[in-house]
Amino acid sequence: MIPLRPLGLGEILDGAVTTMRTHWRSVLSVTAVVAVIVQLATVIFQRYSMNRLMTDPGSITGPGEMLDVMGGSLAVSAVSIFIQVIGGVLATALLTMIFSRAVLGQPSTVAGAWRDARPQFLRLAGLTLLLTLASAALLLVLMLPGILASSTGLALLGGVAGLALLAWLWVRFSLASAALMLEKATIPKALARSAKLVSGAWWRIFGISMLTALIVGIVSMIIAVPFSAMAVIFGGGFDDIVAGNTPDSWPYLIIMALGGVIAMAVTMPMQSGVTVLLYIDQRIRREALDLELARAAGVQDYGTPGAAAPHPGAGG
């Protein structure tokens, strides 16, 4: 699916899309199942918990009730994010294996991907939890002086500094999941491997990751907007919004969930694919991984003087 040499931006994006298209059965099976589970859990939670956690804004009479509203909103967001993170861990584990085999031109099945991913699944979950909690703790620590001093400006300054630092750390450890899954590494080793591979290429990886996020965001929005409109018009959401309430009827939530399933099924493979290909690209650039890939793919005499360069599609 990729040429066995350092990859350009277009080759990384094209490799991810080509793999999705060629191995669509395995990819779609993984993403569709994960998306349905995530959206189903989210819908059930929102339907039965929204009324208890959310308060009508018109009934707020003091700071105490405002804090209750903010706490309820944070609780809803936190649970929704947690559900998505768990689903993302499962999808990442399976898709990483599918994409890694696709690089060698080898077919994949969901059962085979799970068999390869299962030994590392708990470690991947631990890595994801560690990065999530560390990010939240770092942001809180930098904002805490402003919060304790009741200074909005100082808190905002700490928040901006925290976001900048998180962006740097996010890129630095962006390849940790691929290293953990494909090298069967421990969490500390995966973090160290990612930092080593990203060193000297931070801006390049940042740019490719941001472009991927932009593409994924646009695709998600294109899919979500029609479903949001249908949910408002046909799902009873319009009446709730006019009344100042948060829509939580079954028709509204189901229509929104259908849009979410389609968006997740389409965008998750793109993100995972780019991460895997960035990892492989950095190893090709630093460790001549292309030689190992060529041997694994059965490319004869690759890398020997006078040997013909493999076709970009050779060996995958």
Side-chain angles (χ1 to χ4, degrees):
M1 296 301 166
I2 59 171
L4 298 181
R5 54 172 170 75
L7 305 175
L9 168 62
E11 291 167 333
I12 290 176
L13 296 177
D14 181 67
V17 173
T18 300
T19 302
M20 291 166 55
R21 185 173 63 247
T22 304
H23 300 276
W24 65 269
R25 288 183 179 85
S26 298
V27 170
L28 188 60
S29 296
V30 170
T31 56
V33 170
V34 171
V36 168
I37 294 174
V38 168
Q39 292 297 325
L40 180 62
T42 301
V43 165
I44 293 174
F45 171 77
Q46 290 179 340
R47 181 66 179 87
Y48 291 106
S49 301
M50 192 72 75
N51 289 334
R52 287 183 293 175
L53 293 175
M54 304 300 288
T55 304
D56 183 358
S59 65
I60 299 175
T61 58
E65 293 188 4
M66 176 62 73
L67 290 175
D68 290 340
V69 172
M70 293 177 62
S73 299
L74 288 174
V76 171
S77 299
V79 173
S80 298
I81 291 173
F82 176 76
I83 294 171
Q84 293 178 23
V85 166
I86 296 300
V89 169
L90 178 59
T92 298
L94 297 176
L95 291 174
T96 297
M97 295 306 174
I98 292 174
F99 275 90
S100 66
R101 292 180 64 85
V103 169
L104 301 176
Q106 299 175 355
S108 300
T109 63
V110 176
W114 173 244
R115 184 173 57 252
D116 293 338
R118 184 172 54 189
Q120 292 293 99
F121 181 74
L122 290 180
R123 285 182 176 176
L124 180 61
L127 173 66
T128 303
L129 180 61
L130 174 64
L131 293 176
T132 301
L133 294 179
S135 299
L138 177 62
L139 194 60
L140 178 61
V141 167
L142 291 177
M143 294 180 65
L144 191 58
I147 296 174
L148 294 178
S150 299
S151 172
T152 303
L154 184 58
L156 288 176
L157 181 61
V160 171
L163 291 176
L165 183 55
L166 285 178
W168 181 77
L169 292 172
W170 168 64
V171 175
R172 184 173 176 82
F173 298 127
S174 61
L175 306 183
S177 61
L180 183 141
M181 296 302 300
L182 298 180
E183 299 181 27
K184 309 300 182 185
T186 61
I187 293 176
K189 185 176 179 179
L191 293 171
R193 283 288 287 155
S194 178
K196 180 180 179 181
L197 292 173
V198 170
S199 179
W202 191 95
W203 283 108
R204 179 174 180 273
I205 294 175
F206 173 76
I208 294 174
S209 299
M210 288 302 295
L211 178 59
T212 303
L214 178 62
I215 294 172
V216 167
I218 292 174
V219 172
S220 297
M221 184 176 64
I222 292 174
I223 296 173
V225 167
F227 282 91
S228 298
M230 287 189 292
V232 170
I233 297 172
F234 303 110
F238 181 77
D239 294 335
D240 288 330
I241 293 174
V242 170
N245 300 322
T246 301
D248 62 350
S249 64
W250 279 117
Y252 176 88
L253 294 176
I254 290 173
I255 294 174
M256 291 293 291
L258 288 175
V261 167
I262 296 174
M264 289 181 67
V266 172
T267 57
M268 278 194 297
M270 184 68 178
Q271 292 175 311
S272 297
V274 168
T275 299
V276 172
L277 294 181
L278 276 173
Y279 164 82
I280 291 174
D281 174 57
Q282 287 303 111
R283 288 199 61 188
I284 288 175
R285 292 171 184 270
R286 293 177 177 273
E287 304 170 356
L289 181 65
D290 53 324
L291 299 178
E292 296 181 25
L293 293 176
R295 286 194 293 268
V299 179
Q300 299 297 323
D301 300 324
Y302 177 80
T304 59
H311 185 274

